[in-house]
Amino acid sequence: AADDKRHLVMLTATPHSGNDEAFYNLLGLLDSRFRTLPEVAQDERAVLREALSGHFVQRRRPDIAEWKDATLFPDRQTREATYILTGAWGALFRDVLGYAQALVRSTEHQGQLQRRMSWWAALALLRCISSSPAAARMALETRIRATLATSVDEQMAAVEAEGLQAVLDGEADDLLAFDEAIPAGQVGEVSESLRAFAARAERLQGVAADPKLAGLVRELELLLADGFQPVVFCRYIATADYLARELGARFAGQGVTVRAVTSERTPEERQAAVEDLAREERRILVATDCLSEGINIQSAFDAVVHYDLSWNPTRHEQREGRVDRFGQPQSTVRCVLYYGQNNPVDGGVLRVILRKAERIRRELGVAVPFPEDSQKVMEAVMEAVLLKGEAAMTSKQLDLDFGVAEQAVERAWESAREKARESRTLFAQKSLHPETVLPEWVKTQRILGGEADVEAFVRQAVQRLQAPLEPMSPQAGVPPTAYRLPLAHLPAVIRERLAQAGWPYAGHTTVRLGFHHPVPAGCEYVHRTHALVSVVADYLTERALAGDDPELAARCAAIFTDGVTARTTVYLLRLRTQITAKYGEAVRHLLAEDCATVAMTGGPQSGSPGLTVGDEALRFLAARPVRNMAPEHRTRLIQGALDGLAALAPSFNALAERHAEEVLADHKRVRAAADARGWRYDVRAALPVDVIGVYVLLPAVQV
């Protein structure tokens, strides 16, 4: 980065974690002065902000509203669902809560190390028993051990680090470095009472005895009935394995496949497991937070259930962001916040963390990182739970008063909100206004092709390849919204290339496709850069260039059609434009390529023939043959068109030069919008023009 001749681009889709020092260090790679932004005086800061605006672009979801494209992101529907700790499970929870309270009180007069060990053990028990019977049993049987042969200070540091990571979900700036194993839940040897607790937890596994699991089954049945494919997020591996086992047995008779993905698998194994599950028609994924980042699941899943509340709101947003993201084919995603009505642990997390985070997110339009000193904040909440938590279990409503602890959290959240508001002001992108370059965006989209163009191409291509699309549930007068593609009928080389491209359906005999976002549930959304489009396009291009199967694809053709009333020749041209940009002694060369369609009525004329260009000419490429043409006639027409290319070269070159001026004008307009001053430009059309295709259209006549 110190080399001023090196060009550096840094991109991220990850929100600001809240670590300002790390963030400003990244900005310092662009210019070392930017590291001092938080510290300098107001006047100097304004100068640095102006300089930064030329290097830094921050775009959040609310910032793209001006594009008016509702298909970019789905509509996120959120709701809350609850269960009640009752019966034997409620009694066990109350007994373990009492044990945790006694554990903390028993070490009040002991050394600091013992007090902290008992503190983390108590929190681990509460966290795990709130998760599942499986997690509770393991925590009850696992003890904290002090590190041998180290000083008290070193042991304290190790205990604090382990507790923070395993119980409180880690620091906000280290979201992925968490342990999903069960934390130790007691400090001494396993007593008879703990063994009894563990045995009771073991007996309470299953829908009949576990009210939290029973409530989850009801929520999943609702989601599945509405056509959703849900992901259930848990905090611990033991809980995920427990849910996968119980849900798998519960839904097996309904044709629903259930799989668990946890950090026990490597990243590659997780990816493969998700792709394998995505092939099932009805599916439930049970996952720990190892899947909350890094693997794309939005194409296969469209609902999230928070089975275990995360004690870090950023991770909640990450979970929901796995399905509510760019590339989600469904127009709506659902998120369910699931908690115990009389569970004091859930009550503390909900009241002072998650709901405050959601309130600020709605106010600012973006998620705000957990406040600084998050460990102290969470400890204050859990201290209130340990001291007063049993009172909340006597009611079906979470009405626990956290008093001073909640006031401290409120102050921390207000500080975080103001920092986020200041950050939005500080880094708001003002040097480039989207509406200024919107015409170029629209022009680019039109040239590249939209959904209708993709659908037309794929339908025609696979039909010529002897694998025509079959409309799904066709209704008279209503265009189909999805199709079945018989993949097995495509040439073997195409299927092999699709597999090499990593398309998960490449090995299937059929696949359901849709071309207009959002597609129906269970269908693959096929867009312009989809593997199917690119592989088929490459294959057809190769066959056209080889010229060995003109009935499939050809650069030259002649047909009878009812799309014209007089002989019309259509030319497909490749236009190349070189732009030279100079700034002082610096020189940059840019090459732009474009396709142009030109139509000429009648045969080649001497002088400058009348040519139709643009959309008016493009429509001729949609012409379809209506009857056969004798091979000799076709050959004669094509050869005549090719012989006339030399006479048309001056007209094609003039078209290319006009196009070059238009490209330069567009380029200057965008550069001006970006406030790029001091540049000088020159433009040159690369001549002669490349003629890609020649097509002769004759009007159909009655035979």
Side-chain angles (χ1 to χ4, degrees), residues 258-280:
V258 182
R259 294 284 186 273
V261 175
T262 70
S263 61
E264 288 185 321
R265 303 179 187 233
T266 66
E268 293 76 16
E269 290 172 338
R270 297 173 206 165
Q271 180 76 55
V274 170
E275 292 176 354
D276 182 60
L277 182 58
R279 298 185 179 98
E280 303 294 336

Side-chain angles (χ1 to χ4, degrees), residues 298-314:
Q298 69 270 21
S299 61
F301 299 94
D302 48 24
V304 165
V305 179
H306 300 282
Y307 189 74
D308 291 334
L309 300 184
S310 174
W311 292 10
N312 188 324
T314 303

